[in-house]
Amino acid sequence: MTKVTEQRKVKCKDCANAVLMQWDKNPIIAQCGIRGGREVANTVRLCCDFKKVKSVKPIIHYTRN
């Protein structure tokens, strides 16, 4: 029997599983530590792996040279 997990409407920027990155002044991108995919961090999406972050997450900043 497969366990059914509930999907909730969340933002990746608020997830403990996400690594936040930003190139120059572009939108912040979140890379999922569970599934590996990337999403715009501030977009509302459905996710069953979401875990609420307990503090403000750091953003890794990059520049294109």
Side-chain angles (χ1 to χ4, degrees):
M1 180 175 243
T2 305
K3 180 181 175 185
V4 177
T5 55
E6 180 183 337
Q7 290 190 342
R8 299 180 286 168
K9 290 183 178 180
V10 296
K11 293 182 179 183
C12 296
K13 71 178 182 107
D14 300 323
C15 183
N17 297 318
V19 175
L20 304 180
M21 303 170 279
Q22 184 179 32
W23 282 264
D24 298 320
K25 294 184 180 182
N26 290 308
I28 297 169
I29 302 297
Q31 181 165 352
C32 181
I34 302 292
R35 301 189 185 267
R38 290 182 176 182
E39 300 283 340
V40 174
N42 205 32
T43 301
V44 177
R45 62 184 307 271
L46 293 174
C47 183
C48 59
D49 297 317
F50 180 81
K51 183 177 176 185
K52 180 72 176 167
V53 70
K54 294 180 181 178
S55 62
V56 177
K57 292 190 67 88
I59 300 169
I60 302 168
H61 291 275
Y62 298 98
T63 58
R64 297 191 193 267
N65 292 334

